[in-house]
């Protein structure tokens, strides 16, 4: 087990390295630089800035410097936020994004799971059709349509939740963004679970169990759910990636200081170091999450444990 | 288990309640501030949102009054000698930094030196170029100690200018000329403008900065005019998304909005009435021509035809929903002691403009079968897109010009514009830094780095230079007006509209006055009921 | 194998989808307005009405929303179709070659796929759009290039299974080259799987395009897409609700139909006992 984990870890390092290299050169290939603005800088001042941030060295030199710094655990200074290190900004943004993402994922699993089970109990019933069509709609309406509607309804019309912002330890601020982020995933998970649950319930041994008069809820929760969760688990990888992308929209609309918003603004402002830092973090998160998914998968499906 | 959680919750509420009520005693102003400030270092910041905060944190020798006039601030007054070139400022007695240490004239000199030092990398360094030797220092040709600003005594400061500059006192209200607290700079370097490190001299001090979430200020008890400061706490909240900002204003989460969404203007007018503050703002929105490349190089008539074909009234009325003023010249109206110039055709009827535009267009050799094909570039923004779409349609309808709209991401756009190779017509805007025509007219000189049109006119430059030498304000204005007329006649740009400032301000905020620079000090405001 | 029957659900979804596509293609011809035409004399932000043939109303620049919604649909569907095609071509080629030839090449290709999986996808697309500008063609490639990963993995797995089958061995014995076998025997046997994946990818791609439009990186004005229209509409939601309603309805219905279709296809594929994914 430990050997497996270590092997995965070592396999991940070159991947991250390639990712970093790719991102570094792509970012540098983009036209415009961090100091371009509507206001033009006198050449001496621009030169001073470039040398301060070591942008005056040849590109390969900058790349080597950067890689060396990263290997020492230093992600460099931010270009956009004067006097901040990238690691500080990530340390500020990551908890926010994680809180948002984890809550949204849990909500999606709980609600999506509940809907999936409800619908799978009576396939073809009115309830099933209703739930599944709702879920399809949930997948089909983009985040940025849902978010303003949620604000309109809950913050303006009902006035019971804040319209945006992120105050320290104010949980009310999280409700709408988490819901907006979770909705498409709720819908997706519900559909996924329903389908696999129906398949599982059709298995011969469960048919036998049912024929023997095992109560429905025991049938589902004790026997069918475990194998039926496999596709949901393997969806968690893409789901995390989806939540990351979705968080860009949600963070922007609700004004939340998370990584998604940092990332987009850093890319647009050519804040090279911050972009690379966030990319690296995202890459590591995705890899780590895939690893966790594999572990979960192994735990739920003994047949896979040997590989 | 569940019961224990409940107990915890009740306990927390019980603990928090007294905290909340004591916090509610403080008056708190929440300001929607647009994009996240990039820095709170007065010499390094560049964005409007950062400058807004800086004016609460720090204080220069002068300040801008609520009505736009220049008032003494840290200085109690000044004398001008040597034909307008020598300023001697007398500081107020007992000035202090926010940590209680004495604030002296040499702190102000340090601030000015730091601003012009190329090693600082200040985006506003050129604002201080009227000070003798400032340009040489910024250009790396002289040491910072050569800057013609001296502390004569702890409370007296002298500045020598290279030429009479009537607007010089207003430059000292700009954060770039604020004093710096040397020990913090020495200790923390670039990162000194952070909570717990920044020592400031204004009405407020920095207590909290969560990037992308909020900047919080608290009143500075050591400020000389603290007795006359009414609001205890000020929160600046970043609001990138204007539509969301409006919702937060509606939900009573902010007291002052940075902007309002254009499309909603008519509805907001009826909904909010007096809460909506719209006033002229020192900014110009224009389209520049690349006059160094075909098809616009040396073709003034073609440029004029395109300009005449634009119905500015319609753009202001329907696209901007009244949140702008139609523009015909270069310097916005309302600048102190100056008559903004507009061309003769500004007063023409729409029909006359269109027929003249058609005549000029045909005279340039274009027709329905041989239309002009141009590219119009703008940076990614919804409002720029809307205006470009309408202008392209106007050109198409009146002249038959085939315009391709090219939306470029901001940095790409700026880089292309500066290169002047593939750019033909581009969107641009200029916001004045101080209330004087030179803030605008300098942009069109050949030496200015912001002259992206590539328009070089010796007569124009000569007029600007001789105006700079002129001590008499009336003669100076006359020279500047002649220069502007020259630029407007040659049309290297198409003026489209003048900006207006647009804020929503809650009725409980008192003392809000609109002004041309859109400068508002929290110190001047008061709140009706602190609890709300 | 059971005879080819289409379920009523699938037939309905197909028919409705065909209606949407037909409407999007021919609809604009029935309106007196052009896609980017500004009606300078008409009312801007007008509510839907039959009088001036502004059936969906006009947007905040006086353009007819009916025509714009349909024109936007053309772009959205085009982006969807072409990007899906790109991702299919790349994915099938890569997956089939990796799976069939195996060995080092397989390891290398799958390594690339792994690396790209760890690349935060939106970063990729944002940088591509910034680098290459807003060219429609490049958008296809950018979006398609990101979406081929799943396809490649699934196809590879399927090919690995196919490789062991008798008819492939027979083909190999008859002296066909690897590429010929891949082209003639492997790829045709992947059709069912590919169809399912295409149906799954298409709505995703359309959503990605709309996400790009949200960031302001979408199609070049005055052309438009459903994403761009919805983004504009969401901004004006409380003033002119119809500017959000119509494009959002079109997008959602289309995605709904595509998702339905995908589900039906998948159900059919798995019930046929064909290559199970």
């Amino acid at each position: 087990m430990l050997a497996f984990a270590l092997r995965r870890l070592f396999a991940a390092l070159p991947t991250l390295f390639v990712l970093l290299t790719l991102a570094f050169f792509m970012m540098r290939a983009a036209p415009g630089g961090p100091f371009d603005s509507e206001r033009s800088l006198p050449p001496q001042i621009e030169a001073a800035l470039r040398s301060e941030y070591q942008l005056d060295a040849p590109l390969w030199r900058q790349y080597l410097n950067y890689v060396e710094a990263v290997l020492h655990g230093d992600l460099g200074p931010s270009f956009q936020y004067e006097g901040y290190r990238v690691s500080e900004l990530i340390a500020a943004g990551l908890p926010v994004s994680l809180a948002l993402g984890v809550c949204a994922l849990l909500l999606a699993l709980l609600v999506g799971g509940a809907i999936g089970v409800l619908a799978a109990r009576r396939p073809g019933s009115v309830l099933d059709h209703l739930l599944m069509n709702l879920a399809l709609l949930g997948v089909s309406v983009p985040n940025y349509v849902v978010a303003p509607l949620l604000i309109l309804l809950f913050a303006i019309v009902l006035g019971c939740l804040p319209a945006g912002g992120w105050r320290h330890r104010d949980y009310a601020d999280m409700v709408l963004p988490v819901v907006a982020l979770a909705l498409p995933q709720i819908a997706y998970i519900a559909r996924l679970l329903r389908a696999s649950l129906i398949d599982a319930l059709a298995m011969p041994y469960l048919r036998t169990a049912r024929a023997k008069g095992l109560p429905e809820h025991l049938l589902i929760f004790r026997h069918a759910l475990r194998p039926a969760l496999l596709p949901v688990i393997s969806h968690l990888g893409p789901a995390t990636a989806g939540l990351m992308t979705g968080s860009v929209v949600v963070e922007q609309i609700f004004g939340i200081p998370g990584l998604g918003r940092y990332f987009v603004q850093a890319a647009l402002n050519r804040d090279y170091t911050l972009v690379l830092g966030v990319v690296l973090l995202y890459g590591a998160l995705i890899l780590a999450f895939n690893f966790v998914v594999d572990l979960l998968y192994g735990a739920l499906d003994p047949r896979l444990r040997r590989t | 288990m569940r019961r224990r959680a409940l107990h915890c919750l009740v306990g927390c509420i019980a603990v928090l309640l007294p905290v909340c009520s004591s916090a509610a005693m403080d008056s708190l102003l929440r300001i929607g501030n647009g994009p996240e400030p990039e820095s709170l270092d007065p010499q390094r910041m560049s964005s409007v949102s950062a400058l807004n905060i800086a004016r609460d944190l720090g204080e220069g020798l002068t300040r801008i009054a609520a009505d736009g006039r220049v008032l003494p601030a840290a200085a109690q007054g000044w004398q001008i000698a040597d034909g307008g070139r020598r300023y001697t400022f007398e500081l107020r007695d007992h000035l202090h930094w926010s940590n209680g240490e004495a604030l002296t004239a040499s702190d102000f000199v340090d601030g000015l030196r730091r601003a012009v030092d190329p090693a600082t990398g200040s985006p506003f360094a050129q604002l201080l170029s009227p000070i003798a030797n400032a340009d040489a220092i910024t250009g790396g040709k002289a040491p910072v100690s050569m800057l013609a600003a001296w502390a004569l005594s702890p409370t007296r400061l002298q500045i020598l200018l290279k030429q009479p500059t009537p607007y010089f006192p207003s430059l000292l209200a700009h954060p770039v000329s604020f004093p710096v607290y040397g020990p913090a700079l020495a200790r923390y370097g670039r990162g000194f403008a952070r909570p717990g490190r920044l020592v400031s001299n204004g009405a407020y001090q920095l207590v909290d900065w969560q990037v992308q979430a909020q900047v919080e200020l608290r009143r500075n008890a050591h400020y000389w005019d603290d007795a006359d400061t009414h609001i205890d706490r000020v929160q600046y909240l970043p609001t990138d998304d204007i539509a969301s900002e409006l919702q937060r204003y509606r939900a009573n989460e902010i007291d002052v909005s940075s902007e309002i969404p254009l499309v909603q203007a008519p509805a907001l007018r009826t909904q909010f009435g007096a809460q909506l503050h719209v006033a002229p703002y020192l900014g110009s929105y224009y389209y520049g021509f690349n006059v160094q490349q075909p098809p616009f190089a040396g073709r003034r008539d073609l440029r004029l035809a395109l300009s005449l074909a634009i119905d500015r009234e319609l753009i202001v009325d329907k696209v901007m929903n009244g949140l702008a003023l139609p523009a015909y010249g270069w310097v916005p109206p309302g600048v102190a002691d100056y008559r903004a110039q507009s061309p003769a055709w500004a007063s023409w009827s729409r029909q006359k403009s269109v027929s003249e535009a058609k005549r000029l267009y045909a005279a340039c050799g274009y027709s329905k079968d041989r239309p002009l094909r141009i590219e119009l570039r703008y940076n990614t923004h919804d409002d720029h897109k809307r205006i470009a779409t309408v202008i392209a349609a106007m050109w198409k309808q009146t002249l038959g010009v085939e315009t391709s709209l090219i939306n470029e991401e901001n940095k790409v756009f700026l880089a292309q514009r500066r290169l002047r190779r593939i750019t033909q017509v581009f969107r641009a805007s200029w916001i004045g830094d101080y209330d004087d025509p030179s803030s605008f007219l300098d942009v069109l000189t050949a030496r200015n780095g912001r002259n992206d049109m590539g328009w070089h006119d010796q007569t124009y430059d000569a007029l600007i230079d001789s105006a700079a030498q002129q001590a008499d304000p009336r003669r100076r204005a006359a020279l500047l007006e002649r220069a502007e007329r020259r630029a407007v006649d040659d049309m290297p740009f198409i003026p489209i509209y003048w900006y207006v400032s647009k804020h929503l301000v809650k009725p409980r905020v008192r003392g809000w006055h609109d002004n041309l620079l859109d400068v508002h000090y929290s110190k001047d405001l008061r709140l009706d009921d602190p609890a709300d | 194998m059971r005879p080819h029957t289409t379920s009523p659900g699938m037939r309905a979804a197909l028919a409705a989808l065909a209606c949407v596509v037909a409407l999007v293609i021919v609809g604009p011809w029935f309106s007196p307005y052009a896609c980017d035409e500004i009606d300078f004399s008409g009312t801007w932000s007008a509510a839907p009405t039959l009088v001036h043939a502004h059936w969906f109303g006009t947007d905040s620049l006086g353009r007819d929303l009916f025509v714009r919604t349909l024109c936007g649909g053309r772009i959205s569907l085009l982006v969807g179709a072409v990007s899906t095609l790109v991702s299919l071509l790349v994915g099938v080629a890569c997956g089939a070659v990796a799976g069939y030839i195996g060995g080092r090449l397989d390891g290398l290709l799958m390594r690339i796929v792994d690396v790209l999986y760890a690349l935060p996808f939106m970063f990729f697309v944002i940088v591509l759009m910034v680098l290459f500008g807003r060219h429609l063609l490049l958008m296809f490639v950018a979006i398609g290039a990101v979406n081929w990963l799943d396809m490649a993995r699934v196809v590879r797995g399927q090919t690995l299974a196919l490789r062991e089958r008798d008819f492939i061995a027979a083909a190999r014995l008859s002296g066909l080259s690897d590429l010929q076998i891949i082209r003639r025997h492997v790829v045709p046997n992947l059709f069912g799987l590919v169809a399912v994946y295409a149906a799954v990818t298409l709505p995703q791609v359309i959503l990605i395009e709309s996400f790009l439009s949200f960031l302001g990186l979408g199609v070049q004005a005055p052309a438009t897409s459903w994403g761009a229209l919805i983004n504009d509409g969401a901004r004006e939601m409380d003033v002119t609700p119809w500017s959000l309603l119509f494009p959002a309805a079109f997008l959602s219905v289309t995605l709904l139909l595509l998702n339905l279709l995908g589900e039906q296809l998948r159900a059919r594929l798995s019930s046929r006992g064909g290559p199970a994914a």
Side-chain angles (χ1 to χ4, degrees):
Chain A
M1 188 59 226
L2 188 69
F4 171 65
L6 279 176
R7 216 173 54 231
R8 283 293 294 262
L9 186 68
F10 279 113
L13 285 178
T15 307
L16 280 180
F17 180 75
V18 174
L19 171 66
L20 190 70
T21 307
L22 211 66
F24 182 91
F25 287 102
M26 267 177 87
M27 210 48 220
R28 291 311 176 87
F35 308 120
D36 286 335
S37 70
E38 275 286 324
R39 183 174 301 284
S40 76
L41 291 174
Q44 287 78 11
I45 289 183
E46 197 168 335
L49 285 171
R50 294 186 79 82
S51 82
E52 182 186 334
Y53 288 101
Q54 298 172 353
L55 288 178
D56 46 357
L59 196 59
W60 61 269
R61 183 79 244 170
Q62 293 181 38
Y63 172 69
L64 292 182
N65 287 344
Y66 181 71
V67 171
E68 195 193 331
V70 170
L71 288 179
H72 286 97
D74 177 18
L75 293 171
S78 163
F79 287 72
Q80 184 187 358
Y81 299 106
E82 184 73 29
Y84 278 91
R85 310 294 295 176
V86 169
S87 44
E88 284 179 278
L89 292 172
I90 287 182
L94 184 63
V96 177
S97 284
L98 271 186
L100 208 61
V102 169
C103 287
L105 198 61
L106 286 179
L107 185 72
L109 281 173
L110 277 177
V111 179
I115 294 178
V117 170
L118 266 180
R121 272 177 50 185
R122 301 263 177 282
S125 68
V126 178
L127 183 69
D128 176 34
H129 276 294
L130 189 74
L131 286 175
M132 280 309 106
N133 282 329
L134 269 180
L136 259 183
L137 203 65
V139 184
S140 309
V141 183
N143 258 337
Y144 56 85
V145 175
V146 175
L149 286 175
L150 285 176
I151 295 180
L152 191 65
L153 183 62
F154 290 100
I156 309 299
V157 178
L158 300 175
C160 55
L161 285 169
W166 189 267
R167 276 151 301 223
H168 200 50
R169 261 189 275 268
D170 189 342
Y171 299 107
D173 281 345
M174 286 182 68
V175 177
L176 289 184
V178 164
V179 170
L181 201 53
L183 269 182
Q185 298 301 336
I186 290 179
Y188 201 92
I189 288 175
R191 277 154 39 95
L192 214 56
L193 187 64
R194 170 189 174 270
S196 62
L197 206 53
I198 290 176
D199 283 352
L201 285 170
M203 289 292 198
Y205 73 96
L206 281 180
R207 269 193 227 155
T208 322
R210 178 177 283 168
K212 283 207 290 193
L214 198 68
E216 185 82 18
H217 63 274
L218 280 183
L219 198 70
I220 289 180
F221 288 104
R222 195 165 292 168
H223 300 288
L225 203 54
R226 198 172 146 132
L229 272 177
L230 284 179
V232 176
I233 301 274
S234 62
H235 171 67
L236 286 185
T240 334
L243 286 178
M244 285 176 181
T245 317
S247 70
V248 173
V249 174
V250 169
E251 284 170 14
Q252 187 143 330
I253 291 179
F254 290 97
I256 294 170
L259 284 179
R261 199 155 134 222
Y262 278 133
F263 172 78
V264 171
Q265 297 198 344
L268 295 182
N269 284 308
R270 306 290 187 276
D271 190 342
Y272 300 132
T273 43
L274 184 53
V275 166
L276 292 176
V278 176
V279 166
L280 204 60
L281 181 74
Y282 274 179
L285 274 180
I286 292 179
L287 284 173
F289 216 80
N290 284 340
F291 176 62
V292 172
V293 165
D294 284 353
L295 288 183
L296 273 177
Y297 220 87
L300 281 172
D301 189 349
R303 279 172 303 173
L304 289 170
R305 224 167 270 169
R306 266 175 302 147
T307 47
Chain B
M1 186 66 210
R2 191 177 288 172
R3 181 162 299 166
R4 226 170 82 194
L6 199 69
H7 280 175
C8 275
L9 195 70
V10 172
C12 284
I13 292 172
V15 170
L16 283 176
L17 267 179
V19 179
C20 288
S21 54
S22 77
M25 296 299 285
D26 288 353
S27 48
L28 170 65
L29 176 69
R30 299 153 306 172
I31 300 177
N33 198 31
E36 172 74 13
E38 68 289 335
S39 170
L40 292 181
D41 176 345
Q43 273 86 33
R44 289 272 289 211
M45 58 178 53
S46 58
S47 65
V48 171
S49 48
L51 293 169
N52 287 340
I53 303 175
R55 277 186 290 260
D56 274 354
L57 283 174
E59 187 177 61
L61 294 165
T62 64
R63 53 161 287 177
I64 309 292
D67 60 5
R69 283 174 304 128
V70 178
L71 293 181
Q76 50 180 316
W78 57 86
Q79 289 102 41
I80 309 174
D82 288 357
R85 290 182 58 228
R86 188 176 297 274
Y87 281 72
T88 311
F89 292 89
E90 193 72 40
L91 298 192
R92 284 179 201 278
D93 303 326
H94 313 300
L95 285 179
H96 295 285
W97 289 101
S98 55
N99 61 359
E101 284 181 32
L103 168 67
T104 63
S106 61
D107 293 326
F108 282 91
V109 174
D110 288 347
L112 293 173
R113 283 185 177 175
R114 181 163 186 263
V116 296
D117 187 351
T120 308
S122 172
F124 283 108
Q126 281 175 313
L127 216 55
L128 296 176
S129 80
I131 302 179
N133 293 337
D135 283 340
I137 296 167
T138 307
K141 294 189 206 72
V144 281
S145 55
M146 293 284 288
L147 189 73
W150 309 275
L152 303 177
S153 78
T155 56
R156 273 161 66 94
L157 181 76
Q158 193 168 75
I159 299 175
L160 183 69
L161 307 184
K162 66 178 177 203
Q163 54 211 11
T165 311
Y167 57 89
F168 182 67
S170 71
L171 298 182
L172 297 175
H174 194 282
V176 76
S177 59
F178 283 4
V180 283
Y181 181 68
L185 188 61
R187 177 145 176 225
Y188 301 111
R190 287 269 181 263
F192 81 93
R194 304 263 297 263
R197 298 178 182 177
L198 184 70
V199 174
S200 61
N201 72 321
Y204 291 88
Q205 54 182 321
L206 181 64
V207 292
D208 186 28
W209 181 8
Q210 293 167 41
V211 175
Q212 300 280 18
Q214 65 158 351
V215 173
E216 187 169 324
L217 318 182
R218 180 175 283 281
R219 66 189 305 151
N220 170 10
H222 297 285
Y223 179 59
W224 63 270
D225 201 17
D226 186 47
D228 209 23
T229 304
H230 309 287
I231 297 173
D232 300 313
R233 293 195 300 148
V234 183
Q235 278 178 355
Y236 281 94
L237 305 167
T239 44
D240 296 318
D241 189 313
I242 307 175
S244 311
E245 183 186 40
L246 175 64
Q247 300 297 44
R248 294 181 69 181
Y249 181 84
R250 283 196 175 126
N252 219 2
E253 291 165 24
I254 53 175
D255 299 309
V256 178
S257 78
S258 69
E259 273 212 54
I260 60 165
L262 279 187
V263 279
Q264 307 221 11
L268 294 181
R269 246 183 223 118
T270 51
Q271 190 186 348
F272 289 114
Q275 293 181 40
L276 180 58
H277 287 249
V278 175
Y281 179 46
L282 196 62
S284 157
Y285 187 103
Y286 63 96
Y287 278 179
F289 291 109
N290 177 358
V291 294
Q292 295 186 337
Q293 298 278 344
F296 295 111
R299 298 176 84 179
R300 183 244 177 200
D301 284 356
L302 184 61
R303 304 198 291 260
L304 182 57
L306 290 183
S307 178
L308 282 169
I310 294 175
D311 187 347
R312 291 167 178 79
E313 311 280 341
L314 185 135
I315 288 177
V316 165
D317 193 36
K318 287 193 150 178
V319 185
M320 302 300 294
N321 279 319
L323 294 181
L325 300 164
Y328 297 91
W330 180 248
V331 181
V335 172
D337 307 321
Y338 184 80
R339 256 193 339 219
Q341 303 295 303
S342 53
W345 51 265
S347 55
W348 288 0
S349 71
R350 177 80 184 133
Q351 275 129 325
K352 189 171 174 196
S353 300
V354 168
S355 64
E356 176 66 7
K358 281 182 175 156
R359 191 187 67 76
L360 289 168
Y361 183 70
C364 289
Y366 296 106
S367 62
K368 273 250 151 17
D369 309 320
R370 248 184 47 104
L372 171 69
R373 286 176 205 281
I374 46 172
E375 291 177 345
L376 168 55
R377 283 164 201 273
Y378 60 95
N379 49 331
T380 307
H381 191 284
D382 196 51
D383 297 340
H384 303 337
K385 181 172 84 182
R386 284 157 46 84
I387 288 177
T389 309
V390 170
I391 286 182
M394 286 174 175
W395 285 343
K396 172 88 183 148
Q397 274 194 2
T398 50
L399 304 175
V401 177
E402 299 287 343
T403 312
S404 346
L405 301 182
I406 299 182
N407 164 15
E408 288 175 325
E409 185 265 336
N410 197 26
K411 295 275 179 180
V412 181
F413 170 77
L414 289 170
Q416 294 288 12
R417 201 168 97 178
R418 210 144 284 164
L419 275 177
R420 290 192 215 108
R421 248 200 314 273
I422 57 168
T423 304
Q424 294 180 330
V425 187
F426 59 86
R427 181 215 83 91
S429 56
W430 185 250
I431 308 294
D433 299 316
Y434 49 91
D435 184 7
D436 188 85
S438 64
S439 182
F440 277 81
L441 292 170
D442 282 350
V443 173
L444 294 177
T445 56
R447 61 177 171 268
N448 194 295
R450 246 311 305 280
N451 186 344
D452 289 332
M453 280 87 74
W455 186 68
H456 298 164
D457 185 274
Q458 286 173 350
T459 319
Y460 180 88
D461 291 4
L463 282 168
I464 297 293
D465 287 342
S466 54
Q469 302 294 340
Q470 192 55 254
D472 177 47
R474 202 165 305 152
R475 275 197 220 139
R476 177 173 178 271
L479 286 168
L480 291 175
E481 283 163 12
R482 258 179 68 198
E484 188 190 357
R485 265 202 305 284
R486 202 171 160 81
V488 168
D489 281 346
D490 201 49
M491 285 263 116
F493 57 89
I494 304 179
I496 295 170
Y497 69 76
W498 311 124
Y499 279 88
V500 294
S501 58
K502 32 198 184 289
H503 301 279
L504 283 164
V505 183
K506 291 273 178 200
R508 76 185 189 105
V509 179
R510 298 278 167 192
W512 181 277
H513 293 283
D514 299 318
N515 58 63
L516 194 62
L517 287 168
D518 199 23
V519 164
H520 307 277
Y521 296 82
S522 303
K523 167 186 181 307
D524 298 341
L525 304 175
R526 42 175 93 217
L527 293 176
D528 259 357
D529 55 320
D532 191 44
Chain C
M1 200 182 266
R2 278 189 292 173
H4 266 259
T5 48
T6 44
S7 69
M10 182 144 150
R11 255 175 292 168
L14 264 178
L17 204 57
C19 282
V20 171
V21 174
L23 187 62
V24 159
I25 292 173
V26 301
W29 294 331
F30 290 100
S31 170
Y33 301 97
C35 190
D36 52 354
E37 182 184 327
I38 296 180
D39 188 358
F40 281 106
S41 55
T43 342
W44 292 15
S45 301
T49 149
L50 293 177
V51 185
H52 300 289
H54 288 307
W55 299 308
F56 288 2
T58 55
D59 71 0
S60 62
L61 288 181
R63 294 172 295 190
D64 182 65
L65 259 179
F66 173 74
V67 180
R68 281 188 76 70
T69 304
L70 298 184
C71 288
R74 287 180 180 176
I75 301 269
S76 282
L77 291 179
L78 192 68
V79 170
V82 179
S83 300
T84 304
L85 204 66
V86 169
S87 73
L88 288 191
L89 285 179
V90 180
V92 169
C94 194
V97 168
Y100 182 78
I101 294 177
R104 277 230 188 110
L105 188 67
D106 183 25
L108 180 75
L109 284 173
M110 286 304 113
R111 201 83 214 109
I112 293 175
V113 168
D114 279 347
V115 170
L116 290 179
Y117 254 116
L119 187 79
F121 136 78
M122 58 169 175
F123 162 78
F124 198 69
V125 175
I126 287 172
V127 175
L128 278 178
M129 295 311 289
V130 166
L131 272 176
F132 299 118
R134 308 297 140 67
H135 206 284
L136 200 58
L137 225 124
L138 286 160
M139 186 138 104
F140 300 151
V141 179
I143 298 179
V146 171
N147 260 300
W148 61 274
L149 301 174
D150 282 323
M151 193 73 219
R153 275 197 172 167
V154 174
V155 165
R156 172 178 169 272
Q158 193 57 38
T159 313
L160 280 176
L162 277 174
R163 197 167 64 166
E164 309 305 321
R165 301 268 287 269
D166 295 340
F167 67 96
I168 300 281
R172 208 177 296 145
L173 283 177
S174 70
L176 288 180
S177 73
D178 284 352
L179 273 181
Q180 278 170 322
I181 295 177
I182 290 175
R183 218 176 56 219
R184 287 190 210 162
H185 297 285
V186 177
V187 172
N189 273 295
L190 293 170
F191 263 134
L193 190 69
V194 169
V196 170
Y197 256 81
V200 176
T201 309
L202 201 63
Q204 279 175 7
V205 166
I206 293 179
L207 264 180
I208 291 171
E209 188 279 327
S210 77
F211 170 70
L212 282 177
S213 293
F214 173 81
L215 292 181
L217 296 170
V219 290
Q220 203 68 259
T224 190
S225 70
W226 283 335
L229 285 170
I230 290 173
N231 190 23
D232 291 347
R235 212 163 285 170
E236 303 158 24
M237 179 169 66
D238 24 8
V239 191
T240 56
W242 53 88
S243 59
L244 173 66
L245 190 70
F246 289 110
F250 265 79
L251 176 72
S252 299
V253 165
T254 308
L255 291 180
L256 197 77
L257 292 172
L258 283 170
N259 282 328
L260 261 174
L261 198 67
E263 200 152 275
Q264 301 275 353
L265 271 176
R266 189 170 14 196
R268 201 176 109 188
L269 194 71
S270 60
S271 74
R272 231 178 33 187

